[in-house]
Amino acid sequence: MRISITQPSIARPWTLRGTAATFRAVTAPLSTLRLNLTYPDEPSPAELSDRYRAAIDLAEYADAHGFITAQVEEHHGAANGWLPAPLTLAGLILGRTKKITVMASAIIGPLYDPLRLAEELAVLDLASGGRMMTVSGIGYRPEEYEQHGVDWKNRGAAHDEVLETLLKAWTGEPFEYRGRTVQVTPRPYTQPHPLLLVGGSSKPAVRRAARLGLPFFPSSHQPALQDYYEEKCAEYGTEGWVLMPPERVPLLHVTEDPDRAWAELGKHFMHEATMYASWQTSDIKSAVKSQAVTVDELRAEGVYRFVSPDEAVEEARTGNVVLHPLCGGMPVDEAWRSLHLYAEKVLPRLDDKSA
């Protein structure tokens, strides 16, 4: 995706290392590897294990070939096994890579114990040298709250508590928490704390980010929310920045023959698009949203795309690239073909300034 950063100045300046430095310094298109581990059938534990291990291998390869970010996600109780434990997978990826930033986009903040979350993210930040980036939102599926025994109606206040606790915990100093004094150790690597963004598509989410002086990550391209964020920062006396998704966020799979891929593999794109759409009500705004009911309609929409290496080059030159190699149960060998094609036939041409 095309990353647009609005950064008037930073009242809470991150040390220029690790994730924060990456996202402020990069001016070229970003290459992102998206991983959510969905699978439409009922795979055996062995088959699912193969896919999880392949995801880590794919991330290691992407890291070695110039990708900037790997994105992990969170959903619970999904029939297709959508990744429920993004921080666990993030840790495995960080342990196998050297440079890539792992972005949890997004965790469902109110479903976590705030103190444990502070510890988990601090350890990931330390072990990776600052390569962990977390977007925290409140989610939009009541059934996920019910499954975890969390009050859906209190989600806004619960998210406030989570974010406020993280910021206090990462100072390393004792603080009051639910009527007792606690202290979280160790302190993170990134100072004053790991890169934490507030995600969402509503004005309450904007106010939450502005009040705490945290960056805001809209769930879709909404310039009006960016304006509102800057207004609220001025009102609260805080300063921050907005990580604005582009108007168009195509999810790509590189292939030598897009027509063949749509005919043989389009069902995998269709599976994810259909499930994702089934969760989204009319008031939910998402950067990835499809109304297609057939593979042909999905192809015409352009949200999910099979592209040739030449088309991938043009896509990268006009915006950032999100590769989704295991989308909707895509066969592992097809995932590798896509990643190899991108690394061997796309990235070298992007580096060639004369091209």
Side-chain angles (χ1 to χ4, degrees):
M1 55 186 172
R2 171 65 65 184
I3 299 295
S4 174
I5 295 179
T6 296
Q7 181 187 340
S9 60
I10 301 295
R12 190 188 303 278
W14 280 264
T15 302
L16 288 181
R17 63 189 182 196
T19 302
T22 296
F23 276 83
R24 292 186 209 162
V26 171
T27 56
L30 301 180
S31 297
T32 296
L33 181 73
R34 183 184 179 194
L35 300 165
N36 61 22
L37 279 299
T38 58
Y39 198 84
D41 303 317
E42 294 187 10
S44 68
E47 289 172 324
L48 200 54
S49 175
D50 287 343
R51 295 187 68 78
Y52 268 80
R53 287 183 286 118
I56 299 166
D57 291 339
L58 289 164
E60 183 179 34
Y61 181 88
D63 178 59
H65 289 81
F67 277 65
I68 299 297
T69 61
Q71 178 189 344
V72 294
E73 308 173 20
E74 177 176 358
H75 279 297
H76 299 274
N80 64 0
W82 206 294
L83 177 65
L87 300 185
T88 299
L89 185 59
L92 292 166
I93 292 171
L94 289 166
R96 287 274 293 275
T97 56
K98 300 296 183 184
K99 296 174 290 185
I100 202 167
T101 291
V102 178
M103 179 180 183
S105 178
I107 67 167
I108 306 171
L111 301 188
Y112 289 79
D113 175 273
L115 295 181
R116 288 302 304 271
L117 180 59
E119 294 169 336
E120 295 282 352
L121 290 175
V123 168
L124 289 172
D125 185 62
L126 286 161
S128 68
R131 291 188 290 120
M132 183 70 203
M133 176 180 182
T134 305
V135 180
S136 182
I138 63 172
Y140 48 84
R141 298 180 65 223
E143 52 267 49
E144 294 181 311
Y145 279 71
E146 182 179 357
Q147 176 168 311
H148 285 79
V150 178
D151 183 5
W152 169 257
K153 294 181 180 179
N154 193 47
R155 62 193 184 279
H159 199 202
D160 286 336
E161 182 190 43
V162 168
L163 297 171
E164 291 166 4
T165 301
L166 290 177
L167 296 179
K168 293 175 183 177
W170 286 330
T171 67
E173 301 296 327
F175 65 99
E176 291 300 308
Y177 174 75
R178 296 182 181 177
R180 62 188 190 275
T181 300
V182 298
Q183 184 176 16
V184 170
T185 60
R187 289 190 67 193
Y189 170 83
T190 305
Q191 293 300 314
H193 58 73
L195 188 52
L196 174 68
L197 292 83
V198 178
S201 60
S202 67
K203 286 189 173 181
V206 171
R207 291 194 294 270
R208 185 171 292 120
R211 179 175 61 83
L212 296 172
L214 290 171
F216 179 60
F217 188 7
S219 58
S220 62
H221 186 77
Q222 299 179 70
L225 288 185
Q226 180 172 306
D227 295 339
Y228 186 62
Y229 175 79
E230 294 171 0
E231 174 188 325
K232 299 309 290 184
C233 281
E235 181 179 320
Y236 288 120
T238 59
E239 295 178 337
W241 44 279
V242 175
L243 194 60
M244 180 66 71
E247 293 185 64
R248 175 174 165 273
V249 187
L251 303 175
L252 306 183
H253 190 101
V254 186
T255 173
E256 294 284 14
D257 188 347
D259 289 333
R260 175 202 67 85
W262 273 112
E264 298 179 8
L265 304 169
K267 61 183 179 181
H268 299 291
F269 279 171
M270 193 71 223
H271 170 76
E272 182 180 298
T274 300
M275 172 159 274
Y276 205 42
S278 73
W279 292 341
Q280 297 178 344
T281 58
S282 59
D283 60 333
I284 297 296
K285 296 180 175 62
S286 171
V288 180
K289 194 166 187 177
S290 171
Q291 298 179 333
V293 295
T294 67
V295 170
D296 287 341
E297 289 178 2
L298 188 66
R299 183 175 187 176
E301 275 184 341
V303 177
Y304 293 81
R305 294 186 60 199
F306 288 105
V307 295
S308 69
D310 287 344
E311 290 170 326
V313 169
E314 292 307 309
E315 191 72 40
R317 286 176 176 163
T318 58
N320 297 319
V321 170
V322 180
L323 259 65
H324 198 359
L326 291 171
C327 180
M330 193 76 68
V332 171
D333 58 350
E334 289 287 349
W336 276 112
R337 287 191 191 100
S338 174
L339 203 55
H340 280 295
L341 282 171
Y342 189 77
E344 295 167 8
K345 296 192 175 184
V346 178
L347 284 174
R349 292 167 64 183
L350 299 179
D351 290 335
D352 182 2
K353 300 300 188 295
S354 65

